[in-house]
Amino acid sequence: MSASDPAAGLRATIRADLAANTGRTRLRDTPAGFLFHPGFATILLHRIAAALGRTRWRKLGDLVWAWNTRRSGCHLHPRCAIGPGLALPHPTAVVIGEGALIGAGVTLYQSVTIGRAARGGYPVIGDGATLYPGAVVFGAISVGAGARVGAGAILSIDVPAGATAAGPPARVLQPGALD
């Protein structure tokens, strides 16, 4: 892939999203993934809307975003940064705010909210992190690489790489506490 070929980068990202959501890695499996895997369809339409939003076709990108939001029940802001390989096993009610940074290989279950605090910045979610159903992550905090955020956690503190945070309000648990 060359730096002058953005399409090659988009193909690699779509391939990683396809693998994360369907287990398939060939781009020719994209139509089947779109039809039969709602998580992949959601992230694929998000990537299309975001790409169109950076061109003179912004209005078309807005239309694709609006249709995807209504179709999937997910609000993935077109200007949030999502790394390749986002897995959405049950994509309903996932919300990602405009300034959120999501790393590569992240898994988000249903009803996860990642957004800005009232007067703060957006979260940064590290590579390979997993956020379980109903987790709420807000403010200028970071969730480290490979970290886990438990179901129903309300997180407003940093989580170190590889750690687990659980509970409302969330607290970082000792390593191995949930294993």
Side-chain angles (χ1 to χ4, degrees):
M1 171 176 74
S2 71
S4 63
D5 186 9
L10 183 59
R11 281 192 301 270
T13 298
I14 291 170
R15 181 175 282 129
D17 293 337
L18 183 67
N21 287 281
T22 70
R24 299 173 183 212
T25 58
R26 298 177 306 198
L27 285 178
R28 69 181 182 197
D29 293 326
T30 300
F34 182 84
L35 290 173
F36 300 116
H37 297 276
F40 176 67
T42 298
I43 190 63
L44 179 63
L45 288 171
H46 165 76
R47 299 226 190 260
I48 291 169
L52 288 169
R54 292 186 297 269
T55 69
R56 65 185 179 104
W57 296 94
R58 182 167 186 220
K59 296 257 187 225
L60 180 59
D62 291 345
L63 182 65
V64 171
W65 173 83
W67 180 68
N68 187 35
T69 300
R70 284 169 182 76
R71 182 197 64 77
S72 67
C74 289
H75 177 98
L76 308 178
H77 197 285
R79 287 186 294 278
C80 67
I82 300 176
L86 176 67
L88 297 170
H90 308 286
T92 303
V94 171
V95 176
I96 303 175
E98 176 178 8
L101 300 174
I102 311 296
V106 170
T107 302
L108 303 177
Y109 286 89
Q110 67 271 18
S111 301
V112 167
T113 300
I114 301 170
R116 180 178 66 144
R119 285 186 175 47
Y122 285 89
V124 175
I125 310 298
D127 295 347
T130 302
L131 283 70
Y132 288 97
V136 177
V137 181
F138 63 94
I141 62 170
S142 65
V143 175
R148 297 177 292 182
V149 178
I154 299 173
L155 187 66
S156 60
I157 58 171
D158 289 338
V159 179
T164 300
R171 64 191 187 288
V172 176
L173 304 176
Q174 295 298 321
L178 295 180
D179 294 333

